[in-house]
Amino acid sequence: MEKLEIKRIEREKWRQLEAKDLERRNEELEELYLLERCFPEAEKLKRETRLLSQWKHYIQCDGSPDPSVSQEINTFISLWKEETNETFEEVIGKSKLVLNLIDKLKLILLETPPYDLQDKIVTQYQGSILELQELLHCKFNTATEILLRQASTLADLDSGNMEKVIQDENITLYVWANLKKNPRYRSVRFSETQIGFEIPRILATSDIALRLLHTHYDQVTPLRPVPTSLQEHTSTITNLVRDEEKNLEAAISKEMQEECKQEENESNSVHEEEIKVEDQGETEVKMSSVQEEPEVTKCELEMKLISETVLAAQLLLLENAHEKPSDLDDNEVDLCQFTTLGGVYHLDILELPPQCKPMKGWMVVEFLHFSRGHFFLSSPHSLNKILKEGLQKYIYPPETTEDFETEYSFPPIEVTLEVHENVIFFEDPMVARWDAEGKHWKTDGISNVSYKSEERLITFNLETFGPVTLIQDSHINMPYQSWELRPLDVNKVLLSVTTIFAEIQIQIKENLCMLASIKVNNKKHSSILEGRWMTPVSFITALKEAGLNIFPTRHSHFYVIINYKVPLTEMKAYRQMALLSSAFAFGWSRWNMLCDSKKVVFKVREHLRKEEPIEDPNWALLMFSGDRAQRLKIDEYSDTFSEALKEETEFHSTLYHMVKDFASEEAMEKIRSSNDQFIDSVGHMLLLTRVLSYS
């Protein structure tokens, strides 16, 4: 009987708490709505920044085209096409501008929300990117041809062959021309390094050149399409709110007309001049108040429109795809599962063009035409104008091998490449080759892959030359082992994500992010990204390109085991954690795995000091369902999970009001004075790392 009485009392207390929570629910949600206006305000600022970008480019007056203006970029492309006979060094110099234009266009597509992007604009920008990429590669080919025509004058005195290495921040070129055709010269190594090729006898005795053009960027992988589902979903919300805005504007206009008509009638009915003047004054005041009211209402509607579209976009960031990509060819690389890293290595066997021979102040060049040899005499000034057929690829292995024993005469070629120094591979990289016909990466035709991690050298045998790249599992650092979000200073936090291989620390302040530090296998690892403040979109792109991918996509749940949470609950948690991040630290809890998918559990504590946190801080455990927050009785070291409420605590409809119960006045003041862009950046990073469902 005593146990039953205790249970009855507990149930009664629970009902009272629920009733109290329901009673103040509307009040708490209204206050939260006002606090979350920071998200549409931040979006307004980002829109204004995007609109000002063209003007900022215009006033720079640096002579470079604005890539977002079709006429300017098309003129730039046409003029560069007309420039001929550029050396490799000249093309490299121009490539810096071209790559910058490509990056700007990609950044616009990434930073602009899909609901603000028109299809024709997406098509225009992606078309410009492709044109610039193709033209740049064409220029590199032309410059290579010019270089190879001078191979005999650049020949090495010891070997008699030509070797050339050109390095830049964006590309590295290795070229070897086989001038001597020595059958015993089978090992080609560049500049006393291990980078190079082991070639078969048939190539060692042929008029060929070998080119390794390493572009530190990837211009081969097809551009990812803009997600149409987001456009459709948010455009529906946008249209609904805009319809509401139009209806309200019509009602306001009608009200203004009625007010004006009424005032006019009153004015006409009064004949005394003094009264008429007074009435006119009153009319002007009333007219002014009526005009001010629609302006305020219109502003509120604009904020509502932005708020709804931002909310929809954030929610769709957390929604998982229903189907896994299935239309893949045999050995095709699934780009939803793997990422290309370190750029593209363009491997080519080229026919060696006829060489120039000096003769009494003139240059003699053999010109092959219709299988007959002719000699063309030219002065040095007109030398670059001859033989404009372009680079010719040497077909290896040949299409017909009737006169040869194929396996013996045309074996795969051994290739040794250097992995880019700014890229991290947590496991041995895989090699993929570009299939030009299918327009995708494939893993067949590659064998005997070996990787020396200390020297950062990878060796493999390749059946057919062409572009190759190195790939890594995009989800190698997922799921995370733990995470923590901790305040550092005013409008500044540190997000730490610990994975099986690495510990990544990210600082966030206002609308900027920075890689603070990274440990790989518990050892400090230096990265070129450390200390560089970037906008969130640029920062996330840079981390991915460096191999530090902690940003799941809508397909990631097919490739990694996750702790699924309802997207709406997860989104509300991230938004409210961002609101509180100026004064509260949040962290991973093992109980988040044991509560159901409609709820999330995490650690929280007030953190106002700048110094490092103590080893075992006094964390509180909160459980949040999106509509209700409660403090749990258990702690991180309890034996079993329980949803029992901590003594002397209550339910609340928001996380903000939950922590307010045990927060100091100083903490609440810091929260209320937080910067809009800062809160938005923290929320954006939490939404993209998805620490509650991928830990």
Side-chain angles (χ1 to χ4, degrees):
M1 291 294 291
E2 188 176 342
K3 289 183 178 179
L4 291 174
E5 180 63 17
I6 291 172
K7 288 184 178 179
R8 187 193 67 78
I9 293 172
E10 288 179 350
R11 284 196 300 270
E12 181 61 27
K13 184 179 179 181
W14 190 275
R15 279 195 293 269
Q16 290 175 359
L17 290 172
E18 285 182 328
K20 189 175 182 180
D21 177 39
L22 189 61
E23 183 182 345
R24 63 190 175 198
R25 178 175 175 77
N26 288 338
E27 182 183 341
E28 290 187 348
L29 291 178
E30 285 176 8
E31 188 174 0
L32 178 67
Y33 175 77
L34 293 175
L35 289 168
E36 288 189 335
R37 283 176 66 96
C38 61
F39 294 106
E41 288 288 354
E43 181 58 32
K44 275 186 69 176
L45 286 172
K46 285 188 277 189
R47 285 184 178 183
E48 290 169 5
T49 302
R50 290 193 293 269
L51 290 172
L52 284 172
S53 62
Q54 284 191 8
W55 171 248
K56 287 181 179 179
H57 181 273
Y58 175 76
I59 62 177
Q60 280 178 349
C61 298
D62 59 358
S64 63
D66 184 344
S68 64
V69 179
S70 178
Q71 184 177 357
E72 289 190 29
I73 199 68
N74 289 339
T75 301
F76 172 80
I77 290 171
S78 299
L79 290 175
W80 198 26
K81 283 180 179 178
E82 294 174 2
E83 296 180 23
T84 57
N85 300 323
E86 294 171 285
T87 64
F88 221 96
E89 288 77 6
E90 290 172 336
V91 175
I92 286 176
K94 196 68 166 281
S95 72
K96 291 180 173 61
L97 172 59
V98 174
L99 293 174
N100 181 257
L101 295 175
I102 292 173
D103 288 342
K104 282 184 178 180
L105 287 171
K106 287 182 176 180
L107 192 61
I108 292 172
L109 290 173
L110 287 171
E111 285 190 333
T112 308
Y115 50 79
D116 279 347
L117 278 175
Q118 298 179 0
D119 290 340
K120 64 177 183 179
I121 295 296
V122 174
T123 303
Q124 174 194 321
Y125 289 176
Q126 290 188 338
S128 297
I129 290 170
L130 292 174
E131 275 195 84
L132 288 168
Q133 288 175 339
E134 291 171 3
L135 180 56
L136 180 58
H137 195 67
C138 180
K139 290 287 184 177
F140 279 136
N141 285 342
T142 304
T144 302
E145 180 190 2
I146 292 173
L147 182 63
L148 287 176
R149 292 195 185 283
Q150 304 168 12
S152 59
T153 62
L154 300 173
D156 180 70
L157 295 176
D158 295 330
S159 66
N161 297 317
M162 187 273 275
E163 177 189 309
K164 184 75 171 178
V165 179
I166 301 176
Q167 290 184 310
D168 183 69
E169 59 179 323
N170 296 316
I171 70 107
T172 305
L173 173 73
Y174 302 92
V175 178
W176 178 80
N178 189 15
L179 299 172
K180 287 297 182 182
K181 297 183 282 294
N182 185 345
R184 290 178 294 180
Y185 197 93
R186 309 271 289 276
S187 181
V188 179
R189 293 291 179 265
F190 292 99
S191 299
E192 300 179 356
T193 67
Q194 295 299 309
I195 302 169
F197 312 91
E198 292 291 332
I199 59 176
R201 181 184 178 88
I202 187 70
L203 293 181
T205 57
S206 300
D207 286 318
I208 60 140
L210 299 175
R211 181 180 73 167
L212 164 53
L213 175 61
H214 179 198
T215 57
H216 303 168
Y217 50 88
D218 180 2
Q219 84 290 5
V220 175
T221 303
L223 299 173
R224 292 183 180 272
V226 174
T228 54
S229 60
L230 184 57
Q231 286 178 309
E232 293 168 0
H233 189 86
T234 51
S235 64
T236 303
I237 294 173
T238 301
N239 291 335
L240 288 173
V241 179
R242 280 178 179 163
D243 288 343
E244 186 178 340
E245 182 180 4
K246 287 178 182 177
N247 293 336
L248 190 57
E249 283 180 347
I252 291 168
S253 178
K254 186 177 180 181
E255 184 182 345
M256 287 178 64
Q257 290 174 4
E258 290 176 354
E259 289 281 347
C260 292
K261 189 174 182 181
Q262 182 180 350
E263 296 297 336
E264 185 180 349
N265 292 335
E266 290 176 1
S267 176
N268 291 334
S269 64
V270 179
H271 300 287
E272 297 179 4
E273 189 65 27
E274 184 178 349
I275 299 174
K276 185 176 180 181
V277 171
E278 289 177 1
D279 285 346
Q280 285 177 344
E282 289 176 7
T283 302
E284 289 175 3
V285 172
K286 289 180 180 179
M287 284 281 290
S288 176
S289 64
V290 171
Q291 288 172 350
E292 286 175 6
E293 184 179 342
E295 287 299 322
V296 174
T297 311
K298 190 172 182 180
C299 181
E300 286 296 322
L301 271 174
E302 181 190 7
M303 291 305 295
K304 184 177 180 181
L305 170 62
I306 298 174
S307 181
E308 291 290 344
T309 50
V310 167
L311 200 68
Q314 290 178 341
L315 184 60
L316 281 167
L317 285 174
L318 303 176
E319 290 192 354
N320 296 326
H322 299 299
E323 295 182 0
K324 183 179 179 181
S326 56
D327 54 341
L328 300 176
D329 294 344
D330 293 339
N331 301 305
E332 180 183 347
V333 175
D334 182 357
L335 292 178
C336 290
Q337 182 179 5
F338 295 96
T339 303
T340 65
L341 292 177
V344 176
Y345 302 83
H346 298 266
L347 304 175
D348 298 292
I349 307 175
L350 306 169
E351 292 184 1
L352 191 62
Q355 296 300 298
C356 306
K357 295 181 181 179
M359 185 178 293
K360 297 180 180 181
W362 293 80
M363 301 297 286
V364 178
V365 182
E366 184 180 5
F367 177 39
L368 300 180
H369 182 63
F370 296 111
S371 303
R372 294 180 299 170
H374 298 276
F375 290 93
F376 187 90
L377 195 62
S378 172
S379 68
H381 298 289
S382 60
L383 180 61
N384 286 333
K385 296 182 181 179
I386 64 173
L387 304 174
K388 294 185 178 180
E389 295 88 352
L391 280 181
Q392 301 297 317
K393 289 193 175 183
Y394 182 94
I395 307 301
Y396 180 92
E399 296 175 355
T400 58
T401 58
E402 298 175 358
D403 300 332
F404 305 95
E405 295 180 13
T406 306
E407 291 184 2
Y408 175 77
S409 301
F410 304 100
I413 298 174
E414 183 181 286
V415 180
T416 300
L417 304 176
E418 183 178 32
V419 177
H420 196 284
E421 61 181 353
N422 295 332
V423 174
I424 299 176
F425 282 96
F426 296 97
E427 292 180 344
D428 289 357
M430 294 175 281
V431 185
R433 65 173 185 85
W434 179 248
D435 181 356
E437 184 177 347
K439 301 295 181 185
H440 49 233
W441 295 104
K442 301 188 74 172
T443 55
D444 60 342
I446 301 165
S447 58
N448 300 335
V449 181
S450 63
Y451 180 57
K452 297 178 181 178
S453 57
E454 293 295 326
E455 294 90 343
R456 299 183 68 83
L457 294 174
I458 187 165
T459 303
F460 54 92
N461 290 348
L462 191 62
E463 292 180 4
T464 306
F465 268 33
V468 300
T469 191
L470 306 181
I471 59 175
Q472 179 171 254
D473 189 339
S474 304
H475 312 94
I476 197 166
N477 282 308
M478 302 176 202
Y480 321 130
Q481 293 185 321
S482 65
W483 60 272
E484 182 180 295
L485 180 68
R486 174 165 54 88
L488 291 178
D489 205 343
V490 179
N491 294 322
K492 189 175 183 180
V493 297
L494 181 72
L495 174 63
S496 301
V497 178
T498 303
T499 74
I500 192 171
F501 291 107
E503 180 185 345
I504 302 168
Q505 293 192 333
I506 301 167
Q507 283 189 22
I508 306 168
K509 70 172 183 180
E510 297 184 359
N511 63 332
L512 299 172
C513 302
M514 178 191 75
L515 180 64
S517 71
I518 175 172
K519 290 182 181 178
V520 177
N521 297 324
N522 295 320
K523 294 180 181 179
K524 182 76 171 68
H525 182 89
S526 61
S527 170
I528 194 173
L529 298 178
E530 286 184 54
R532 292 172 55 187
W533 289 101
M534 292 177 267
T535 61
V537 172
S538 299
F539 176 74
I540 290 166
T541 302
L543 275 192
K544 288 180 178 179
E545 291 176 350
L548 300 172
N549 188 7
I550 52 171
F551 307 101
T553 67
R554 58 196 305 266
H555 292 98
S556 293
H557 64 288
F558 290 118
Y559 309 102
V560 60
I561 298 172
I562 70 168
N563 181 23
Y564 175 75
K565 298 296 178 182
V566 172
L568 186 60
T569 300
E570 195 176 356
M571 180 199 67
K572 287 182 177 181
Y574 293 145
R575 284 167 65 98
Q576 294 181 44
M577 285 163 65
L579 278 173
L580 300 166
S581 61
S582 288
F584 285 86
F586 298 88
W588 171 85
S589 171
R590 67 191 184 104
W591 302 122
N592 190 43
M593 293 283 292
L594 298 179
C595 66
D596 63 51
S597 62
K598 296 179 181 178
K599 300 170 184 175
V600 293
V601 177
F602 47 84
K603 299 184 296 186
V604 62
R605 65 184 175 88
E606 188 175 300
H607 185 91
L608 300 176
R609 297 175 180 83
K610 298 178 184 179
E611 65 263 18
E612 289 293 318
I614 57 177
E615 289 296 321
D616 189 18
N618 185 24
W619 292 99
L621 275 184
L622 296 189
M623 185 170 71
F624 184 54
S625 65
D627 297 318
R628 174 182 289 175
Q630 67 184 79
R631 187 169 178 179
L632 298 179
K633 185 177 182 179
I634 60 171
D635 60 28
E636 198 64 17
Y637 307 103
S638 299
D639 294 331
T640 57
F641 176 69
S642 169
E643 294 188 6
L645 197 66
K646 186 175 177 62
E647 298 87 348
E648 299 180 359
T649 63
E650 300 177 348
F651 297 130
H652 284 280
S653 298
T654 74
L655 288 176
Y656 172 80
H657 294 91
M658 184 71 251
V659 301
K660 191 176 179 181
D661 281 353
F662 57 86
S664 67
E665 184 57 38
E666 183 184 357
M668 298 311 297
E669 181 59 33
K670 287 188 72 173
I671 290 167
R672 286 189 287 266
S673 60
S674 295
N675 179 280
D676 292 343
Q677 289 181 304
F678 162 74
I679 296 171
D680 181 71
S681 296
V682 175
H684 188 68
M685 196 61 63
L686 291 173
L687 284 162
L688 289 181
T689 51
R690 299 188 65 179
V691 290
L692 291 173
S693 57
Y694 276 79
S695 295

